[in-house]
Amino acid sequence: MMGLMASDETRTETRTEAPTEARAQARAGSGVPEVPGEGPATRAWTTWTTRLLVLGIVLAAVNLRPAITSLGALLEEVRDGLGMSGSIAGLLTSVPPLCFAVFGVTAPRLARRFGPGAVVCAGMAAITAGLLIRPYIGGTGGFLAATALALMGIAVSNVLMPVIVKRYFPDRVGSMTGLYSMALAFGTSVAAAATVPVTNALGGHWQPGLAVWAVLPALAVLPWIPFVRNRTTPASTAPSTPSPGREGEQPAELPPLRITRSRTAWALAVFFGLQATAAYITMGWMAQIFRDSGVSAGTAGLLLAVIMVMGVPLAFVIPRVATRLPHQGPIVLVLGLCGLAGYAGLYFAPVGGAWAWALLLGVSNCAFPLALTMVGMRARTGAGVAQLSAFAQSTGYLISIPGPLLVGVLYQHSGGWGLPIALMSALMVPQIVVGVLAGRDRTVEDEAAAR
């Protein structure tokens, strides 16, 4: 896959056309600093550089969820070790979307100032530090603070992934979104499946079982180091579609969008928030739901891994299919119906059909790569994608904060999982509705300008 993408880059490396002022402004608006000239940029971006960028994207994506799913697999042990109540554990599962909302909105500004490569590199370093110290810092407060540090790195990388793809691979948005979504799902599922066995192999203590996941983001720092100062854009990925204007005149870049005027942006933000709610309830509580139903800790971790591993093939297929459809609503509907069926099975036969429910919920969880793909499709320019990505993800994660916390409260006060599962099922209905609205063939630039 990387070789194919690199060869596509090589075929167009000989372009020497100088970028226009509007094109330079587009780079600045999208969080990618201005390229001083196409010739130097072309020389700087070799086949090796492009492959390294793809590798960096994949390794960064692998590290965007293990901090969460590894904790979900050992949540009972962490609760016992730190003396957490069910409500506090629910708060802990709400920390990821809170951090994603708070820190994610800063990503475009940081990218404009330091370059997206530098921000992602720093994000991987923050994940490494947070995962390494959180099991040993002592106390619930310290555990939460170290977790927040790791999630800060995840947050900025979350927002910048669609921006980087749109900026550097504008003709392969579906393929590249599928590639890093697949890598994200792979990292998520591996952490869910391997955390309990690795913990047992390390002596049965949850602290090293969580700390070991700091190795992966440490490795992910390496391919981003060359991009900390290399802010050039390969010639083959420079935007080539001009904006409407008078014949013979290069139009100026549009001013920053008033993104809140776009109904599509709001629909996409709510869709993102509701799918994130389901995802973080799943990552934080699903293993515990299976364990309380009578499944062993190791099997519960495997079931969570099955839910997550479904995203490996589907996260690559769904974006490619979505980019070929004028309306993504049918995909939204299929994913939502799978989620409703999975929750129904989980309620009526949590043990007998556990593997089938895990498969269905795994398919439903692929609303995440679909949402990322729609972020790239609902804006025409890199600047529009940057604004839409920050708005949809930050607003969406704010919407998702109460979900995991409410599940913990309902579980503690009801003494069972019936009410939490009913809540998850109920939330799937509005997710389908707003997903269909977000999937319409429109762009935020047109809507923000028209209203």
Side-chain angles (χ1 to χ4, degrees), residues 247-300:
E247 184 178 358
E249 179 183 24
Q250 181 66 34
E253 178 68 16
L254 294 173
L257 297 172
R258 299 182 66 176
I259 199 75
T260 54
R261 291 184 173 185
S262 168
R263 293 179 180 178
T264 297
W266 279 107
L268 189 52
V270 176
F271 177 68
F272 199 99
L274 291 174
Q275 68 80 28
T277 300
Y280 289 110
I281 290 174
T282 297
M283 286 186 279
W285 290 109
M286 195 57 64
Q288 192 65 48
I289 292 174
F290 284 119
R291 290 178 71 170
D292 288 350
S293 299
V295 176
S296 68
T299 303

Side-chain angles (χ1 to χ4, degrees), residues 213-408:
W213 295 104
V215 174
L216 289 178
L219 294 175
V221 169
L222 301 178
W224 287 100
I225 292 176
F227 300 99
V228 171
R229 294 194 176 187
N230 184 355
R231 303 184 179 187
T232 57
T233 305
S236 62
T237 63
S240 59
T241 303
S243 302
R246 292 193 299 271
E247 184 178 358
E249 179 183 24
Q250 181 66 34
E253 178 68 16
L254 294 173
L257 297 172
R258 299 182 66 176
I259 199 75
T260 54
R261 291 184 173 185
S262 168
R263 293 179 180 178
T264 297
W266 279 107
L268 189 52
V270 176
F271 177 68
F272 199 99
L274 291 174
Q275 68 80 28
T277 300
Y280 289 110
I281 290 174
T282 297
M283 286 186 279
W285 290 109
M286 195 57 64
Q288 192 65 48
I289 292 174
F290 284 119
R291 290 178 71 170
D292 288 350
S293 299
V295 176
S296 68
T299 303
L302 286 175
L303 287 166
L304 179 59
V306 167
I307 296 174
M308 300 304 165
V309 81
M310 290 299 295
V312 175
L314 292 180
F316 188 71
V317 173
I318 288 175
R320 295 172 66 90
V321 174
T323 55
R324 288 167 170 78
L325 295 176
H327 194 307
Q328 289 73 48
I331 304 177
V332 171
L333 181 60
V334 170
L335 298 182
L337 291 176
C338 286
L340 288 172
Y343 289 134
L346 196 62
Y347 181 85
F348 291 107
V351 178
W355 295 100
W357 317 141
L359 289 172
L360 286 169
L361 293 174
V363 174
S364 180
N365 257 8
C366 289
F368 175 71
L370 177 61
L372 292 179
T373 305
M374 288 195 289
V375 167
M377 296 178 68
R378 298 287 87 89
R380 289 196 307 270
T381 64
V385 171
Q387 287 186 256
L388 180 57
S389 179
F391 175 76
Q393 294 201 43
S394 297
T395 305
Y397 285 127
L398 279 174
I399 292 171
S400 69
I401 290 171
L405 177 59
L406 185 56
V407 165

Side-chain angles (χ1 to χ4, degrees), residues 111-146:
R112 284 194 296 270
R113 181 170 182 180
F114 301 105
V119 176
V120 174
C121 186
M124 294 299 109
I127 298 171
T128 303
L131 294 187
L132 188 61
I133 65 176
R134 76 171 176 176
Y136 303 106
I137 197 170
T140 301
F143 190 92
L144 288 171

Side-chain angles (χ1 to χ4, degrees), residues 28 74 94 154 210 264 292 364 414:
L74 295 176
S94 292
I154 296 173
L210 291 183
T264 297
D292 288 350
S364 180
S414 67

Side-chain angles (χ1 to χ4, degrees), residues 149-237:
L149 175 61
L151 294 172
M152 177 177 64
I154 296 173
V156 294
S157 301
N158 266 337
V159 172
L160 290 181
M161 285 294 106
V163 177
I164 289 172
V165 167
K166 182 75 171 184
R167 183 66 228 158
Y168 295 101
F169 304 96
D171 55 338
R172 293 187 294 279
V173 171
S175 298
M176 286 301 300
T177 301
L179 182 64
Y180 81 73
S181 297
M182 186 171 63
L184 187 152
F186 175 77
T188 305
S189 58
V190 166
T195 296
V196 171
V198 167
T199 300
N200 293 335
L202 295 176
H205 301 291
W206 61 267
Q207 289 91 341
L210 291 183
V212 71
W213 295 104
V215 174
L216 289 178
L219 294 175
V221 169
L222 301 178
W224 287 100
I225 292 176
F227 300 99
V228 171
R229 294 194 176 187
N230 184 355
R231 303 184 179 187
T232 57
T233 305
S236 62
T237 63

